[in-house]
PDB file of all heavy atoms in Angstrom:
ATOM      1  N   ASN A 206      13.950 -24.944  -8.650  1.00 91.00           N
ATOM      2  CA  ASN A 206      12.918 -25.467  -7.763  1.00 91.00           C
ATOM      3  C   ASN A 206      12.528 -24.458  -6.696  1.00 91.00           C
ATOM      4  O   ASN A 206      11.406 -24.485  -6.190  1.00 91.00           O
ATOM      5  CB  ASN A 206      13.362 -26.789  -7.125  1.00 91.00           C
ATOM      6  CG  ASN A 206      12.840 -27.989  -7.895  1.00 91.00           C
ATOM      7  OD1 ASN A 206      11.868 -27.892  -8.637  1.00 91.00           O
ATOM      8  ND2 ASN A 206      13.487 -29.123  -7.739  1.00 91.00           N
ATOM      9  N   ILE A 207      13.443 -23.560  -6.341  1.00 95.00           N
ATOM     10  CA  ILE A 207      13.065 -22.439  -5.473  1.00 95.00           C
ATOM     11  C   ILE A 207      11.996 -21.609  -6.174  1.00 95.00           C
ATOM     12  O   ILE A 207      10.982 -21.229  -5.575  1.00 95.00           O
ATOM     13  CB  ILE A 207      14.301 -21.576  -5.126  1.00 95.00           C
ATOM     14  CG1 ILE A 207      15.242 -22.348  -4.187  1.00 95.00           C
ATOM     15  CG2 ILE A 207      13.880 -20.251  -4.482  1.00 95.00           C
ATOM     16  CD1 ILE A 207      16.578 -21.672  -3.955  1.00 95.00           C
ATOM     17  N   ALA A 208      12.213 -21.355  -7.465  1.00 96.00           N
ATOM     18  CA  ALA A 208      11.221 -20.613  -8.245  1.00 96.00           C
ATOM     19  C   ALA A 208       9.905 -21.379  -8.330  1.00 96.00           C
ATOM     20  O   ALA A 208       8.819 -20.783  -8.228  1.00 96.00           O
ATOM     21  CB  ALA A 208      11.759 -20.323  -9.646  1.00 96.00           C
ATOM     22  N   ASN A 209       9.984 -22.702  -8.519  1.00 92.00           N
ATOM     23  CA  ASN A 209       8.764 -23.521  -8.553  1.00 92.00           C
ATOM     24  C   ASN A 209       7.980 -23.382  -7.253  1.00 92.00           C
ATOM     25  O   ASN A 209       6.745 -23.282  -7.256  1.00 92.00           O
ATOM     26  CB  ASN A 209       9.114 -24.994  -8.779  1.00 92.00           C
ATOM     27  CG  ASN A 209       9.617 -25.266 -10.176  1.00 92.00           C
ATOM     28  OD1 ASN A 209       9.455 -24.455 -11.076  1.00 92.00           O
ATOM     29  ND2 ASN A 209      10.254 -26.413 -10.360  1.00 92.00           N
ATOM     30  N   ALA A 210       8.713 -23.403  -6.137  1.00 94.00           N
ATOM     31  CA  ALA A 210       8.062 -23.252  -4.838  1.00 94.00           C
ATOM     32  C   ALA A 210       7.405 -21.881  -4.725  1.00 94.00           C
ATOM     33  O   ALA A 210       6.246 -21.764  -4.293  1.00 94.00           O
ATOM     34  CB  ALA A 210       9.076 -23.462  -3.714  1.00 94.00           C
ATOM     35  N   TYR A 211       8.123 -20.834  -5.129  1.00 96.00           N
ATOM     36  CA  TYR A 211       7.556 -19.480  -5.082  1.00 96.00           C
ATOM     37  C   TYR A 211       6.270 -19.403  -5.898  1.00 96.00           C
ATOM     38  O   TYR A 211       5.268 -18.813  -5.465  1.00 96.00           O
ATOM     39  CB  TYR A 211       8.557 -18.462  -5.632  1.00 96.00           C
ATOM     40  CG  TYR A 211       9.733 -18.160  -4.741  1.00 96.00           C
ATOM     41  CD1 TYR A 211      10.921 -17.671  -5.278  1.00 96.00           C
ATOM     42  CD2 TYR A 211       9.663 -18.341  -3.360  1.00 96.00           C
ATOM     43  CE1 TYR A 211      12.012 -17.372  -4.471  1.00 96.00           C
ATOM     44  CE2 TYR A 211      10.749 -18.046  -2.547  1.00 96.00           C
ATOM     45  CZ  TYR A 211      11.922 -17.567  -3.107  1.00 96.00           C
ATOM     46  OH  TYR A 211      12.994 -17.275  -2.306  1.00 96.00           O
ATOM     47  N   ASP A 212       6.293 -19.988  -7.102  1.00 94.00           N
ATOM     48  CA  ASP A 212       5.131 -19.954  -7.991  1.00 94.00           C
ATOM     49  C   ASP A 212       3.913 -20.577  -7.321  1.00 94.00           C
ATOM     50  O   ASP A 212       2.822 -20.001  -7.299  1.00 94.00           O
ATOM     51  CB  ASP A 212       5.466 -20.680  -9.291  1.00 94.00           C
ATOM     52  CG  ASP A 212       4.316 -20.661 -10.286  1.00 94.00           C
ATOM     53  OD1 ASP A 212       3.690 -19.605 -10.444  1.00 94.00           O
ATOM     54  OD2 ASP A 212       4.041 -21.701 -10.901  1.00 94.00           O
ATOM     55  N   ASN A 213       4.114 -21.752  -6.725  1.00 92.00           N
ATOM     56  CA  ASN A 213       2.983 -22.465  -6.127  1.00 92.00           C
ATOM     57  C   ASN A 213       2.553 -21.873  -4.792  1.00 92.00           C
ATOM     58  O   ASN A 213       1.376 -21.921  -4.438  1.00 92.00           O
ATOM     59  CB  ASN A 213       3.324 -23.950  -6.003  1.00 92.00           C
ATOM     60  CG  ASN A 213       3.311 -24.645  -7.350  1.00 92.00           C
ATOM     61  OD1 ASN A 213       2.255 -24.828  -7.951  1.00 92.00           O
ATOM     62  ND2 ASN A 213       4.478 -24.993  -7.848  1.00 92.00           N
ATOM     63  N   ILE A 214       3.504 -21.305  -4.056  1.00 94.00           N
ATOM     64  CA  ILE A 214       3.123 -20.578  -2.840  1.00 94.00           C
ATOM     65  C   ILE A 214       2.255 -19.381  -3.224  1.00 94.00           C
ATOM     66  O   ILE A 214       1.258 -19.075  -2.549  1.00 94.00           O
ATOM     67  CB  ILE A 214       4.375 -20.136  -2.053  1.00 94.00           C
ATOM     68  CG1 ILE A 214       5.067 -21.367  -1.430  1.00 94.00           C
ATOM     69  CG2 ILE A 214       4.004 -19.142  -0.955  1.00 94.00           C
ATOM     70  CD1 ILE A 214       6.436 -21.075  -0.829  1.00 94.00           C
ATOM     71  N   GLY A 215       2.619 -18.714  -4.323  1.00 94.00           N
ATOM     72  CA  GLY A 215       1.794 -17.621  -4.824  1.00 94.00           C
ATOM     73  C   GLY A 215       0.375 -18.067  -5.126  1.00 94.00           C
ATOM     74  O   GLY A 215      -0.597 -17.387  -4.785  1.00 94.00           O
ATOM     75  N   LEU A 216       0.240 -19.253  -5.737  1.00 90.00           N
ATOM     76  CA  LEU A 216      -1.097 -19.793  -6.034  1.00 90.00           C
ATOM     77  C   LEU A 216      -1.901 -20.051  -4.769  1.00 90.00           C
ATOM     78  O   LEU A 216      -3.111 -19.793  -4.728  1.00 90.00           O
ATOM     79  CB  LEU A 216      -0.970 -21.087  -6.841  1.00 90.00           C
ATOM     80  CG  LEU A 216      -0.673 -20.950  -8.335  1.00 90.00           C
ATOM     81  CD1 LEU A 216      -0.464 -22.319  -8.959  1.00 90.00           C
ATOM     82  CD2 LEU A 216      -1.810 -20.219  -9.040  1.00 90.00           C
ATOM     83  N   THR A 217      -1.241 -20.570  -3.736  1.00 92.00           N
ATOM     84  CA  THR A 217      -1.980 -20.839  -2.489  1.00 92.00           C
ATOM     85  C   THR A 217      -2.465 -19.536  -1.878  1.00 92.00           C
ATOM     86  O   THR A 217      -3.578 -19.470  -1.340  1.00 92.00           O
ATOM     87  CB  THR A 217      -1.123 -21.608  -1.460  1.00 92.00           C
ATOM     88  OG1 THR A 217       0.018 -20.830  -1.099  1.00 92.00           O
ATOM     89  CG2 THR A 217      -0.673 -22.949  -2.000  1.00 92.00           C
ATOM     90  N   TYR A 218      -1.652 -18.472  -1.974  1.00 94.00           N
ATOM     91  CA  TYR A 218      -2.089 -17.195  -1.410  1.00 94.00           C
ATOM     92  C   TYR A 218      -3.230 -16.582  -2.213  1.00 94.00           C
ATOM     93  O   TYR A 218      -4.045 -15.822  -1.666  1.00 94.00           O
ATOM     94  CB  TYR A 218      -0.918 -16.226  -1.282  1.00 94.00           C
ATOM     95  CG  TYR A 218      -0.078 -16.497  -0.061  1.00 94.00           C
ATOM     96  CD1 TYR A 218       1.279 -16.802  -0.171  1.00 94.00           C
ATOM     97  CD2 TYR A 218      -0.638 -16.458   1.215  1.00 94.00           C
ATOM     98  CE1 TYR A 218       2.047 -17.061   0.954  1.00 94.00           C
ATOM     99  CE2 TYR A 218       0.125 -16.715   2.352  1.00 94.00           C
ATOM    100  CZ  TYR A 218       1.465 -17.011   2.214  1.00 94.00           C
ATOM    101  OH  TYR A 218       2.212 -17.274   3.329  1.00 94.00           O
ATOM    102  N   ILE A 219      -3.314 -16.908  -3.513  1.00 92.00           N
ATOM    103  CA  ILE A 219      -4.496 -16.491  -4.279  1.00 92.00           C
ATOM    104  C   ILE A 219      -5.737 -17.122  -3.664  1.00 92.00           C
ATOM    105  O   ILE A 219      -6.764 -16.465  -3.446  1.00 92.00           O
ATOM    106  CB  ILE A 219      -4.363 -16.889  -5.768  1.00 92.00           C
ATOM    107  CG1 ILE A 219      -3.279 -16.068  -6.464  1.00 92.00           C
ATOM    108  CG2 ILE A 219      -5.702 -16.689  -6.493  1.00 92.00           C
ATOM    109  CD1 ILE A 219      -2.992 -16.496  -7.891  1.00 92.00           C
ATOM    110  N   ASP A 220      -5.635 -18.417  -3.358  1.00 89.00           N
ATOM    111  CA  ASP A 220      -6.781 -19.120  -2.762  1.00 89.00           C
ATOM    112  C   ASP A 220      -7.087 -18.620  -1.355  1.00 89.00           C
ATOM    113  O   ASP A 220      -8.229 -18.693  -0.897  1.00 89.00           O
ATOM    114  CB  ASP A 220      -6.517 -20.632  -2.746  1.00 89.00           C
ATOM    115  CG  ASP A 220      -6.589 -21.246  -4.142  1.00 89.00           C
ATOM    116  OD1 ASP A 220      -7.314 -20.690  -4.981  1.00 89.00           O
ATOM    117  OD2 ASP A 220      -5.928 -22.263  -4.377  1.00 89.00           O
ATOM    118  N   TYR A 221      -6.061 -18.143  -0.661  1.00 91.00           N
ATOM    119  CA  TYR A 221      -6.272 -17.559   0.666  1.00 91.00           C
ATOM    120  C   TYR A 221      -6.736 -16.099   0.593  1.00 91.00           C
ATOM    121  O   TYR A 221      -6.944 -15.450   1.609  1.00 91.00           O
ATOM    122  CB  TYR A 221      -4.978 -17.604   1.484  1.00 91.00           C
ATOM    123  CG  TYR A 221      -4.651 -18.934   2.102  1.00 91.00           C
ATOM    124  CD1 TYR A 221      -3.389 -19.498   1.926  1.00 91.00           C
ATOM    125  CD2 TYR A 221      -5.573 -19.625   2.876  1.00 91.00           C
ATOM    126  CE1 TYR A 221      -3.060 -20.721   2.505  1.00 91.00           C
ATOM    127  CE2 TYR A 221      -5.261 -20.849   3.458  1.00 91.00           C
ATOM    128  CZ  TYR A 221      -3.999 -21.390   3.271  1.00 91.00           C
ATOM    129  OH  TYR A 221      -3.687 -22.597   3.851  1.00 91.00           O
ATOM    130  N   ASN A 222      -6.886 -15.571  -0.643  1.00 92.00           N
ATOM    131  CA  ASN A 222      -7.285 -14.181  -0.880  1.00 92.00           C
ATOM    132  C   ASN A 222      -6.293 -13.172  -0.305  1.00 92.00           C
ATOM    133  O   ASN A 222      -6.669 -12.057   0.070  1.00 92.00           O
ATOM    134  CB  ASN A 222      -8.687 -13.904  -0.305  1.00 92.00           C
ATOM    135  CG  ASN A 222      -9.773 -14.680  -1.029  1.00 92.00           C
ATOM    136  OD1 ASN A 222      -9.769 -14.739  -2.257  1.00 92.00           O
ATOM    137  ND2 ASN A 222     -10.664 -15.307  -0.283  1.00 92.00           N
ATOM    138  N   ASP A 223      -5.027 -13.558  -0.256  1.00 95.00           N
ATOM    139  CA  ASP A 223      -3.971 -12.645   0.186  1.00 95.00           C
ATOM    140  C   ASP A 223      -3.220 -12.176  -1.060  1.00 95.00           C
ATOM    141  O   ASP A 223      -2.211 -12.760  -1.461  1.00 95.00           O
ATOM    142  CB  ASP A 223      -3.022 -13.337   1.163  1.00 95.00           C
ATOM    143  CG  ASP A 223      -2.058 -12.371   1.840  1.00 95.00           C
ATOM    144  OD1 ASP A 223      -1.732 -11.340   1.220  1.00 95.00           O
ATOM    145  OD2 ASP A 223      -1.630 -12.651   2.964  1.00 95.00           O
ATOM    146  N   THR A 224      -3.729 -11.114  -1.684  1.00 95.00           N
ATOM    147  CA  THR A 224      -3.184 -10.684  -2.972  1.00 95.00           C
ATOM    148  C   THR A 224      -1.779 -10.110  -2.850  1.00 95.00           C
ATOM    149  O   THR A 224      -0.982 -10.227  -3.786  1.00 95.00           O
ATOM    150  CB  THR A 224      -4.103  -9.637  -3.623  1.00 95.00           C
ATOM    151  OG1 THR A 224      -4.278  -8.537  -2.721  1.00 95.00           O
ATOM    152  CG2 THR A 224      -5.472 -10.232  -3.940  1.00 95.00           C
ATOM    153  N   ILE A 225      -1.467  -9.522  -1.706  1.00 96.00           N
ATOM    154  CA  ILE A 225      -0.135  -8.927  -1.528  1.00 96.00           C
ATOM    155  C   ILE A 225       0.940 -10.004  -1.551  1.00 96.00           C
ATOM    156  O   ILE A 225       1.925  -9.926  -2.302  1.00 96.00           O
ATOM    157  CB  ILE A 225      -0.076  -8.104  -0.225  1.00 96.00           C
ATOM    158  CG1 ILE A 225      -1.000  -6.889  -0.323  1.00 96.00           C
ATOM    159  CG2 ILE A 225       1.369  -7.653   0.051  1.00 96.00           C
ATOM    160  CD1 ILE A 225      -1.151  -6.111   0.962  1.00 96.00           C
ATOM    161  N   LEU A 226       0.765 -11.039  -0.730  1.00 96.00           N
ATOM    162  CA  LEU A 226       1.757 -12.121  -0.689  1.00 96.00           C
ATOM    163  C   LEU A 226       1.744 -12.924  -1.989  1.00 96.00           C
ATOM    164  O   LEU A 226       2.792 -13.390  -2.447  1.00 96.00           O
ATOM    165  CB  LEU A 226       1.503 -13.035   0.501  1.00 96.00           C
ATOM    166  CG  LEU A 226       2.012 -12.514   1.849  1.00 96.00           C
ATOM    167  CD1 LEU A 226       1.612 -13.456   2.977  1.00 96.00           C
ATOM    168  CD2 LEU A 226       3.526 -12.338   1.832  1.00 96.00           C
ATOM    169  N   ALA A 227       0.573 -13.092  -2.590  1.00 96.00           N
ATOM    170  CA  ALA A 227       0.482 -13.829  -3.856  1.00 96.00           C
ATOM    171  C   ALA A 227       1.341 -13.142  -4.917  1.00 96.00           C
ATOM    172  O   ALA A 227       2.133 -13.793  -5.617  1.00 96.00           O
ATOM    173  CB  ALA A 227      -0.963 -13.914  -4.316  1.00 96.00           C
ATOM    174  N   ARG A 228       1.190 -11.810  -5.046  1.00 97.00           N
ATOM    175  CA  ARG A 228       1.992 -11.068  -6.026  1.00 97.00           C
ATOM    176  C   ARG A 228       3.479 -11.172  -5.708  1.00 97.00           C
ATOM    177  O   ARG A 228       4.309 -11.353  -6.598  1.00 97.00           O
ATOM    178  CB  ARG A 228       1.589  -9.600  -6.040  1.00 97.00           C
ATOM    179  CG  ARG A 228       0.406  -9.268  -6.911  1.00 97.00           C
ATOM    180  CD  ARG A 228       0.326  -7.789  -7.220  1.00 97.00           C
ATOM    181  NE  ARG A 228      -0.920  -7.480  -7.900  1.00 97.00           N
ATOM    182  CZ  ARG A 228      -2.047  -7.174  -7.280  1.00 97.00           C
ATOM    183  NH1 ARG A 228      -2.071  -7.142  -5.959  1.00 97.00           N
ATOM    184  NH2 ARG A 228      -3.148  -6.921  -7.965  1.00 97.00           N
ATOM    185  N   GLU A 229       3.816 -11.031  -4.434  1.00 97.00           N
ATOM    186  CA  GLU A 229       5.226 -11.064  -4.024  1.00 97.00           C
ATOM    187  C   GLU A 229       5.894 -12.358  -4.454  1.00 97.00           C
ATOM    188  O   GLU A 229       6.983 -12.343  -5.062  1.00 97.00           O
ATOM    189  CB  GLU A 229       5.314 -10.904  -2.500  1.00 97.00           C
ATOM    190  CG  GLU A 229       6.740 -10.962  -1.967  1.00 97.00           C
ATOM    191  CD  GLU A 229       6.774 -10.901  -0.445  1.00 97.00           C
ATOM    192  OE1 GLU A 229       5.886 -10.252   0.157  1.00 97.00           O
ATOM    193  OE2 GLU A 229       7.694 -11.516   0.143  1.00 97.00           O
ATOM    194  N   TYR A 230       5.250 -13.490  -4.187  1.00 97.00           N
ATOM    195  CA  TYR A 230       5.857 -14.781  -4.519  1.00 97.00           C
ATOM    196  C   TYR A 230       5.848 -15.039  -6.027  1.00 97.00           C
ATOM    197  O   TYR A 230       6.820 -15.582  -6.578  1.00 97.00           O
ATOM    198  CB  TYR A 230       5.148 -15.917  -3.768  1.00 97.00           C
ATOM    199  CG  TYR A 230       5.647 -16.072  -2.360  1.00 97.00           C
ATOM    200  CD1 TYR A 230       4.938 -15.548  -1.278  1.00 97.00           C
ATOM    201  CD2 TYR A 230       6.852 -16.720  -2.097  1.00 97.00           C
ATOM    202  CE1 TYR A 230       5.405 -15.681   0.019  1.00 97.00           C
ATOM    203  CE2 TYR A 230       7.322 -16.862  -0.801  1.00 97.00           C
ATOM    204  CZ  TYR A 230       6.603 -16.340   0.250  1.00 97.00           C
ATOM    205  OH  TYR A 230       7.077 -16.480   1.531  1.00 97.00           O
ATOM    206  N   LEU A 231       4.775 -14.656  -6.713  1.00 97.00           N
ATOM    207  CA  LEU A 231       4.733 -14.870  -8.160  1.00 97.00           C
ATOM    208  C   LEU A 231       5.801 -14.054  -8.874  1.00 97.00           C
ATOM    209  O   LEU A 231       6.463 -14.556  -9.791  1.00 97.00           O
ATOM    210  CB  LEU A 231       3.343 -14.528  -8.704  1.00 97.00           C
ATOM    211  CG  LEU A 231       2.227 -15.517  -8.340  1.00 97.00           C
ATOM    212  CD1 LEU A 231       0.878 -14.999  -8.796  1.00 97.00           C
ATOM    213  CD2 LEU A 231       2.496 -16.901  -8.932  1.00 97.00           C
ATOM    214  N   TYR A 232       6.016 -12.809  -8.453  1.00 98.00           N
ATOM    215  CA  TYR A 232       7.051 -12.001  -9.096  1.00 98.00           C
ATOM    216  C   TYR A 232       8.452 -12.527  -8.796  1.00 98.00           C
ATOM    217  O   TYR A 232       9.353 -12.426  -9.637  1.00 98.00           O
ATOM    218  CB  TYR A 232       6.919 -10.530  -8.687  1.00 98.00           C
ATOM    219  CG  TYR A 232       5.915  -9.774  -9.530  1.00 98.00           C
ATOM    220  CD1 TYR A 232       4.750  -9.269  -8.967  1.00 98.00           C
ATOM    221  CD2 TYR A 232       6.126  -9.573 -10.888  1.00 98.00           C
ATOM    222  CE1 TYR A 232       3.822  -8.579  -9.744  1.00 98.00           C
ATOM    223  CE2 TYR A 232       5.211  -8.897 -11.673  1.00 98.00           C
ATOM    224  CZ  TYR A 232       4.056  -8.398 -11.094  1.00 98.00           C
ATOM    225  OH  TYR A 232       3.136  -7.730 -11.868  1.00 98.00           O
ATOM    226  N   LYS A 233       8.646 -13.107  -7.606  1.00 98.00           N
ATOM    227  CA  LYS A 233       9.938 -13.747  -7.306  1.00 98.00           C
ATOM    228  C   LYS A 233      10.197 -14.886  -8.289  1.00 98.00           C
ATOM    229  O   LYS A 233      11.310 -15.036  -8.818  1.00 98.00           O
ATOM    230  CB  LYS A 233       9.939 -14.304  -5.879  1.00 98.00           C
ATOM    231  CG  LYS A 233      10.135 -13.291  -4.779  1.00 98.00           C
ATOM    232  CD  LYS A 233      10.145 -14.000  -3.430  1.00 98.00           C
ATOM    233  CE  LYS A 233      10.387 -13.031  -2.284  1.00 98.00           C
ATOM    234  NZ  LYS A 233      10.392 -13.732  -0.973  1.00 98.00           N
ATOM    235  N   ALA A 234       9.172 -15.703  -8.532  1.00 97.00           N
ATOM    236  CA  ALA A 234       9.313 -16.811  -9.483  1.00 97.00           C
ATOM    237  C   ALA A 234       9.570 -16.283 -10.885  1.00 97.00           C
ATOM    238  O   ALA A 234      10.456 -16.780 -11.604  1.00 97.00           O
ATOM    239  CB  ALA A 234       8.058 -17.684  -9.464  1.00 97.00           C
ATOM    240  N   ILE A 235       8.819 -15.257 -11.300  1.00 98.00           N
ATOM    241  CA  ILE A 235       8.958 -14.691 -12.642  1.00 98.00           C
ATOM    242  C   ILE A 235      10.374 -14.163 -12.869  1.00 98.00           C
ATOM    243  O   ILE A 235      10.975 -14.389 -13.929  1.00 98.00           O
ATOM    244  CB  ILE A 235       7.904 -13.582 -12.853  1.00 98.00           C
ATOM    245  CG1 ILE A 235       6.519 -14.220 -13.033  1.00 98.00           C
ATOM    246  CG2 ILE A 235       8.252 -12.706 -14.056  1.00 98.00           C
ATOM    247  CD1 ILE A 235       5.367 -13.239 -12.921  1.00 98.00           C
ATOM    248  N   ASP A 236      10.922 -13.482 -11.877  1.00 98.00           N
ATOM    249  CA  ASP A 236      12.279 -12.927 -12.019  1.00 98.00           C
ATOM    250  C   ASP A 236      13.314 -14.037 -12.228  1.00 98.00           C
ATOM    251  O   ASP A 236      14.223 -13.902 -13.063  1.00 98.00           O
ATOM    252  CB  ASP A 236      12.647 -12.116 -10.768  1.00 98.00           C
ATOM    253  CG  ASP A 236      11.907 -10.781 -10.704  1.00 98.00           C
ATOM    254  OD1 ASP A 236      11.370 -10.357 -11.745  1.00 98.00           O
ATOM    255  OD2 ASP A 236      11.854 -10.185  -9.611  1.00 98.00           O
ATOM    256  N   ILE A 237      13.188 -15.128 -11.480  1.00 97.00           N
ATOM    257  CA  ILE A 237      14.137 -16.243 -11.626  1.00 97.00           C
ATOM    258  C   ILE A 237      13.988 -16.893 -12.997  1.00 97.00           C
ATOM    259  O   ILE A 237      14.979 -17.136 -13.700  1.00 97.00           O
ATOM    260  CB  ILE A 237      13.939 -17.282 -10.504  1.00 97.00           C
ATOM    261  CG1 ILE A 237      14.343 -16.693  -9.153  1.00 97.00           C
ATOM    262  CG2 ILE A 237      14.768 -18.545 -10.792  1.00 97.00           C
ATOM    263  CD1 ILE A 237      14.009 -17.580  -7.963  1.00 97.00           C
ATOM    264  N   TYR A 238      12.759 -17.164 -13.403  1.00 97.00           N
ATOM    265  CA  TYR A 238      12.546 -17.820 -14.700  1.00 97.00           C
ATOM    266  C   TYR A 238      13.046 -16.959 -15.856  1.00 97.00           C
ATOM    267  O   TYR A 238      13.601 -17.480 -16.826  1.00 97.00           O
ATOM    268  CB  TYR A 238      11.065 -18.147 -14.897  1.00 97.00           C
ATOM    269  CG  TYR A 238      10.550 -19.245 -13.993  1.00 97.00           C
ATOM    270  CD1 TYR A 238       9.272 -19.180 -13.440  1.00 97.00           C
ATOM    271  CD2 TYR A 238      11.335 -20.355 -13.695  1.00 97.00           C
ATOM    272  CE1 TYR A 238       8.795 -20.184 -12.636  1.00 97.00           C
ATOM    273  CE2 TYR A 238      10.865 -21.367 -12.873  1.00 97.00           C
ATOM    274  CZ  TYR A 238       9.585 -21.269 -12.348  1.00 97.00           C
ATOM    275  OH  TYR A 238       9.102 -22.263 -11.537  1.00 97.00           O
TER     276      TYR A 238
END
């Protein structure tokens, strides 16, 4: 669920147009999965 949170936080940063944080959180989720 930590990974789930990272994944969705990454999605919100996509919508906020913050690509740096979006990538950071998505890769955290990917590594856990």
Side-chain angles (χ1 to χ4, degrees):
N206 264 339
I207 290 171
N209 290 344
Y211 287 156
D212 181 43
N213 287 290
I214 290 170
L216 282 175
T217 62
Y218 280 121
I219 291 174
D220 288 332
Y221 281 129
N222 294 316
D223 190 331
T224 56
I225 294 173
L226 280 176
R228 275 198 188 89
E229 178 184 328
Y230 278 100
L231 288 174
Y232 276 115
K233 282 181 178 180
I235 286 166
D236 287 344
I237 292 172
Y238 290 142

